[in-house]
Amino acid sequence: MSDANKLIECVPNFSEGRDLEKIESIVRPFRGKEGVRLLDYQWDLDHNRMVVTAVGEPDPLRQVVIEAVAVAVDQIDMTRHQGQHPRMGAVDVIPFIPIRNVSMAEAVDFSRRVAGEIAERFDLPVFLYEVSASSPSRQNLAAVRKGQFEGMREKLKQPEWKPDFGPERIHPTAGVTAVGARMPLVAFNVNLGTDNLEIADQIALKVRHISGGLRYCKAIGVELKERSIVQISMNMTDYTKTALYRAFELVRIEARRYGVNVIGSEIVGLTPMEALIDAAVYYMGIENFSMDQVLEARLME
Amino acid sequence: MSDANKLIECVPNFSEGRDLEKIESIVRPFRGKEGVRLLDYQWDLDHNRMVVTAVGEPDPLRQVVIEAVAVAVDQIDMTRHQGQHPRMGAVDVIPFIPIRNVSMAEAVDFSRRVAGEIAERFDLPVFLYEVSASSPSRQNLAAVRKGQFEGMREKLKQPEWKPDFGPERIHPTAGVTAVGARMPLVAFNVNLGTDNLEIADQIALKVRHISGGLRYCKAIGVELKERSIVQISMNMTDYTKTALYRAFELVRIEARRYGVNVIGSEIVGLTPMEALIDAAVYYMGIENFSMDQVLEARLME
């Protein structure tokens, strides 16, 4: 398998969502590079944070990410950073997602290599997280990031929080970075025909993994005030194991208890085609269907 | 828009399904060409016919198709051809399907250009059909092909069957060819929980266009003897206008009249991802969904 057929997605989060000049200079390395495509970048003033979405062949992607980290480490000063979103570093987190002809094991290897390189080049402490984590306690980003930038100086002194790569102390202005491989995440929301947030909260409790629901589903109840409805806002963290239609039908089943109807749903941002095709195959009972029958899958081989 | 971003699918049908050496020599031009990908080729002994599936950028695809036609015209002698499938020429039909960054109007122009070139190079009468047809009476391939190879000599003498390109008489050994642009076709079958073929025939009548059903749906009842069931075997000729889920639900509704359940379905061969994603969007009521949200669609831009 040639490297040119391999594709990895990268969704790095940078702690800059206000200074447009800095935002553009961090994004610049992703533009016009052979073998890398910038799909999207969005920033948020309140969060003071930017999320970039790019895909690329492994080697060019690695080089582009390192270039962008160089810019962010140079331009972002975490000692002066404020924002609503939890954060621990100038380059807060770099997730890598296997897209095409790349196994999860390869994506993990790739993430370790990037982590090692940015630690060495920028004297930056790096934690491996998600599937790349070196211990179960480091899988969850929230656990790694707990204490945020301000608490990292002390946290890194604890032996159980020795970074996987780089120095055993924070970078004075760029803090700490997490790098890891994970499955594609689908943001899937189901809307209810009620404005009662408590019902949405109760249903979220039933469908999400942590409180007894589906293994690869995170969920919270959310109010959509302008529409006077509520929704179950879900992150599907592995649609190949916890199908979207299963979460959808489970929400419907739980909503029945309250005499509430599901009135629709939405997908926020990007989704792999398989997450939706899987639902079509379920609802129409398509027998022996293979993703090889999808023209676009064949074109991407 | 650069030509390298345009993709057209081609599914030529050749009147040779028995001689493996000839089959391979006809397929050979599709192999190893820059800008063209051979996706599939299947032949059938009873039909004595081969169907090739390839996609490519317009210019390389045109050249490869002409090369394959040259081989077929050289090697197939229709005066000695026998087979169950209706046929009128060595290269019986060449459908072109717009896949990416190609409008139907462009695909029609492309098909006319290919038709003109093969008519001139091989002294072959060519009819334009489907969307490319020069008159409504030539849209339907079955109408063009009526009389088959053996009847073409007389048919071409009629003024209303003057070929769109090439001589006004058949090619002595290669007969007549049809070329045209059409939408991607999805072969979609719905299985019923009964072995009663009459019920399948009745339902097919209700869902297919010709007898009062859905505009872009052809359907017949078929017996699956080894499973002791019947199915509605459908060709969805424009899934963007007649959605698969609509045909599926209509079959279910009609089956109810007979107390029969839909027990599953199948897709034969390739389908564009949109035909299935559309069904997922319907069944889960996904609001404001755009194909731009599909990662693979973005990767193919």
Side-chain angles (χ1 to χ4, degrees), chain A residues 143-285:
Chain A
V144 175
R145 194 161 53 194
K146 195 174 176 192
Q148 297 199 44
F149 173 72
E150 291 73 12
M152 284 296 142
R153 192 180 301 271
E154 288 307 308
K155 185 173 183 172
L156 262 56
K157 290 176 181 165
Q158 301 169 40
E160 68 267 35
W161 289 109
K162 178 182 179 311
D164 290 293
F165 294 96
E168 293 173 31
R169 44 134 193 87
I170 67 162
H171 183 291
T173 54
V176 175
T177 293
V179 175
R182 62 163 171 81
M183 282 296 292
L185 185 147
V186 181
F188 181 47
N189 304 330
V190 178
N191 298 332
L192 302 181
T194 175
D195 61 356
N196 187 332
L197 183 58
E198 210 169 306
I199 292 176
D201 284 336
Q202 283 300 316
I203 295 174
L205 264 172
K206 308 284 171 47
V207 300
R208 74 184 176 211
H209 176 236
I210 201 167
S211 46
L214 298 164
R215 174 70 185 90
Y216 296 99
C217 176
K218 298 176 179 181
I220 55 170
V222 168
E223 238 179 317
L224 301 188
K225 288 205 172 136
E226 71 287 2
R227 291 179 63 184
S228 297
I229 61 169
V230 294
Q231 72 178 188
I232 320 298
S233 177
M234 298 185 283
N235 272 337
M236 306 300 294
T237 57
D238 187 347
Y239 66 87
T240 65
K241 301 213 176 81
T242 297
L244 268 59
Y245 71 80
R246 207 170 303 135
F248 179 80
E249 292 297 334
L250 208 52
V251 168
R252 170 143 61 191
I253 286 167
E254 292 297 333
R256 244 185 242 157
R257 170 198 301 262
Y258 305 98
V260 165
N261 288 322
V262 165
I263 60 169
S265 68
E266 60 178 340
I267 285 179
V268 183
L270 294 175
T271 174
M273 64 175 173
E274 195 175 357
L276 292 177
I277 287 176
D278 184 45
V281 168
Y282 168 74
Y283 285 107
M284 301 199 293

Side-chain angles (χ1 to χ4, degrees), chain A residues 3-295:
Chain A
D3 209 49
N5 283 320
K6 295 179 191 279
L7 269 191
I8 294 176
E9 186 184 5
C10 182
V11 193
N13 289 219
F14 300 95
S15 294
E16 177 58 67
R18 293 175 186 168
D19 184 327
L20 284 183
E21 223 168 286
K22 288 184 182 176
I23 286 171
E24 286 302 327
S25 66
I26 293 166
V27 170
R28 195 165 299 128
F30 290 95
R31 296 188 191 274
K33 293 281 166 55
E34 183 79 26
V36 173
R37 186 159 342 162
L38 174 64
L39 293 183
D40 191 33
Y41 61 113
Q42 293 189 3
W43 61 92
D44 186 279
L45 292 172
D46 294 332
H47 289 178
N48 197 5
R49 187 180 182 87
M50 165 170 63
V51 179
V52 175
T53 306
V55 289
E57 298 159 25
D59 210 52
L61 183 66
R62 186 176 52 80
Q63 292 174 33
V64 162
V65 168
I66 289 169
E67 272 184 64
V69 170
V71 177
V73 168
D74 179 58
Q75 303 211 347
I76 299 172
D77 181 356
M78 291 305 291
T79 65
R80 303 168 64 185
H81 182 275
Q82 293 200 315
Q84 280 174 19
H85 196 288
R87 76 287 178 272
M88 63 181 183
V91 186
D92 202 50
V93 55
I94 310 178
F96 291 111
I97 301 118
I99 297 294
R100 187 212 300 170
N101 294 332
V102 174
S103 68
M104 184 51 85
E106 284 176 276
V108 167
D109 282 350
F110 180 80
S111 73
R112 294 180 68 92
R113 185 167 167 200
V114 173
E117 282 193 41
I118 64 175
E120 192 179 324
R121 285 215 200 181
F122 308 111
D123 200 26
L124 196 65
V126 177
F127 287 100
L128 296 168
Y129 85 116
E130 280 282 345
V131 187
S132 306
S134 56
S135 84
S137 59
R138 295 179 177 198
Q139 277 174 5
N140 190 338
L141 180 62
V144 175
R145 194 161 53 194
K146 195 174 176 192
Q148 297 199 44
F149 173 72
E150 291 73 12
M152 284 296 142
R153 192 180 301 271
E154 288 307 308
K155 185 173 183 172
L156 262 56
K157 290 176 181 165
Q158 301 169 40
E160 68 267 35
W161 289 109
K162 178 182 179 311
D164 290 293
F165 294 96
E168 293 173 31
R169 44 134 193 87
I170 67 162
H171 183 291
T173 54
V176 175
T177 293
V179 175
R182 62 163 171 81
M183 282 296 292
L185 185 147
V186 181
F188 181 47
N189 304 330
V190 178
N191 298 332
L192 302 181
T194 175
D195 61 356
N196 187 332
L197 183 58
E198 210 169 306
I199 292 176
D201 284 336
Q202 283 300 316
I203 295 174
L205 264 172
K206 308 284 171 47
V207 300
R208 74 184 176 211
H209 176 236
I210 201 167
S211 46
L214 298 164
R215 174 70 185 90
Y216 296 99
C217 176
K218 298 176 179 181
I220 55 170
V222 168
E223 238 179 317
L224 301 188
K225 288 205 172 136
E226 71 287 2
R227 291 179 63 184
S228 297
I229 61 169
V230 294
Q231 72 178 188
I232 320 298
S233 177
M234 298 185 283
N235 272 337
M236 306 300 294
T237 57
D238 187 347
Y239 66 87
T240 65
K241 301 213 176 81
T242 297
L244 268 59
Y245 71 80
R246 207 170 303 135
F248 179 80
E249 292 297 334
L250 208 52
V251 168
R252 170 143 61 191
I253 286 167
E254 292 297 333
R256 244 185 242 157
R257 170 198 301 262
Y258 305 98
V260 165
N261 288 322
V262 165
I263 60 169
S265 68
E266 60 178 340
I267 285 179
V268 183
L270 294 175
T271 174
M273 64 175 173
E274 195 175 357
L276 292 177
I277 287 176
D278 184 45
V281 168
Y282 168 74
Y283 285 107
M284 301 199 293
I286 305 175
E287 301 172 7
N288 303 317
F289 188 76
S290 153
M291 286 299 288
D292 289 343
Q293 292 180 254
V294 179
L295 184 63

Side-chain angles (χ1 to χ4, degrees), chain A residues 37 39 55 99 191 227 248 264-265 267 269-271 273 276 280 284-287 293-296 298-299, chain B residues 37 39 55 99 191 227 248 265 267 269-271 273 276 280 284-287 293-296 298-299:
Chain A
R37 186 159 342 162
L39 293 183
V55 289
I99 297 294
N191 298 332
R227 291 179 63 184
F248 179 80
S265 68
I267 285 179
L270 294 175
T271 174
M273 64 175 173
L276 292 177
M284 301 199 293
I286 305 175
E287 301 172 7
Q293 292 180 254
V294 179
L295 184 63
E296 286 80 358
R298 299 292 300 276
L299 295 180
Chain B
R37 186 160 339 163
L39 293 182
V55 288
I99 297 294
N191 299 330
R227 292 178 64 183
F248 179 80
S265 68
I267 284 179
L270 294 175
T271 173
M273 65 175 171
L276 292 177
M284 300 200 293
I286 305 175
E287 301 171 6
Q293 291 180 255
V294 179
L295 184 63
E296 286 81 359
R298 299 294 300 275
L299 295 179

Side-chain angles (χ1 to χ4, degrees), chain B residues 31-204:
Chain B
R31 297 187 191 275
K33 293 281 164 55
E34 184 78 26
V36 173
R37 186 160 339 163
L38 174 64
L39 293 182
D40 191 32
Y41 61 112
Q42 293 189 5
W43 61 92
D44 187 278
L45 291 172
D46 294 332
H47 289 178
N48 196 7
R49 186 179 182 85
M50 164 168 65
V51 179
V52 175
T53 306
V55 288
E57 299 158 26
D59 210 52
L61 183 65
R62 186 175 53 79
Q63 293 173 32
V64 162
V65 168
I66 289 168
E67 272 185 63
V69 170
V71 177
V73 169
D74 180 58
Q75 303 210 347
I76 299 173
D77 181 357
M78 291 306 290
T79 65
R80 303 168 63 185
H81 182 275
Q82 294 200 315
Q84 280 174 19
H85 196 288
R87 76 287 178 276
M88 62 181 184
V91 186
D92 202 49
V93 54
I94 311 179
F96 290 110
I97 302 119
I99 297 294
R100 188 212 298 172
N101 295 333
V102 175
S103 68
M104 184 51 84
E106 283 177 277
V108 167
D109 283 349
F110 180 80
S111 73
R112 295 181 68 91
R113 184 165 170 203
V114 173
E117 282 194 39
I118 63 175
E120 192 181 323
R121 284 214 200 183
F122 307 113
D123 199 27
L124 196 65
V126 177
F127 287 99
L128 295 168
Y129 84 115
E130 279 283 345
V131 188
S132 305
S134 55
S135 84
S137 59
R138 295 180 177 198
Q139 276 175 7
N140 191 338
L141 179 62
V144 175
R145 194 161 53 195
K146 196 172 174 191
Q148 298 200 45
F149 173 72
E150 289 74 11
M152 284 296 141
R153 192 180 300 270
E154 289 306 309
K155 184 172 183 172
L156 262 58
K157 291 177 181 165
Q158 302 169 41
E160 67 266 37
W161 289 109
K162 178 182 180 310
D164 290 293
F165 295 96
E168 291 173 31
R169 46 135 192 86
I170 67 162
H171 184 290
T173 55
V176 175
T177 293
V179 175
R182 63 164 171 80
M183 282 295 292
L185 184 148
V186 182
F188 181 48
N189 304 330
V190 179
N191 299 330
L192 302 181
T194 176
D195 61 357
N196 188 333
L197 182 58
E198 210 168 308
I199 292 176
D201 284 337
Q202 283 300 316
I203 295 174

